Amino acid sequence: MTVTAFDFGPAEVYIIRYPGVLPDPGVLEALAALVADSTVRLLDILVVSRAVDGAVSVLEIDDLPTDGALGEVTLDARGLAGNDDVDSIADGLTPGMSAAIAVIELLWAKNLAERFSESGGELLETVRVPAPELNELAAAAHIK
């Protein structure tokens, strides 16, 4: 049997809109904890902001406060969140709003993806059900 080793496992791109310039410290702390636990690997992150006057700015990880909740994180695939992503997201931001674009590798799923591949399996599709939607579905079905 041939062992398949991927450089990267499955990854997801999260685009989160919020008021102000920097994400809430609690969000950054949660992300840092997942990275520290080797549950995920942060491949890239950008913050796109639209000022009250309409000007757009982009902050990369080097521009984020180093004493912040994210701590010292190294990006393993800087540049995955490209200019097309930034332009598209900036167009949808109203003044005073920002969006974080985070490319997050799912380390917990990497081993599973390698085993599927080496066994001849072929991934046909993945579907992510957002937490708010799943909770609504569960409540409607009276599942606790």
Side-chain angles (χ1 to χ4, degrees), residues 33-110:
L34 290 170
V35 170
D37 291 343
S38 297
T39 302
V40 302
R41 181 165 57 159
L42 186 59
L43 299 178
D44 198 7
I45 189 167
L46 297 172
V47 173
V48 182
S49 298
R50 183 171 297 278
V52 176
D53 66 3
V56 173
S57 63
V58 177
L59 298 174
E60 295 194 30
I61 195 165
D62 302 328
D63 303 321
L64 297 175
T66 57
D67 61 342
L70 193 53
E72 295 297 321
V73 174
T74 302
L75 299 179
D76 293 309
R78 186 185 293 253
L80 284 179
N83 291 336
D84 293 343
D85 298 322
V86 170
D87 293 341
S88 172
I89 288 157
D91 288 344
L93 290 175
T94 57
M97 297 296 288
S98 295
I101 306 166
V103 183
I104 300 171
E105 179 184 15
L106 309 174
L107 292 177
W108 60 267
K110 183 179 177 191

Side-chain angles (χ1 to χ4, degrees), residues 9-36:
E12 294 188 356
V13 177
Y14 290 85
I15 303 169
I16 301 99
R17 184 177 55 205
Y18 56 89
V21 176
L22 296 175
D24 183 86
V27 171
L28 297 176
E29 288 170 3
L31 180 56
L34 290 170
V35 170

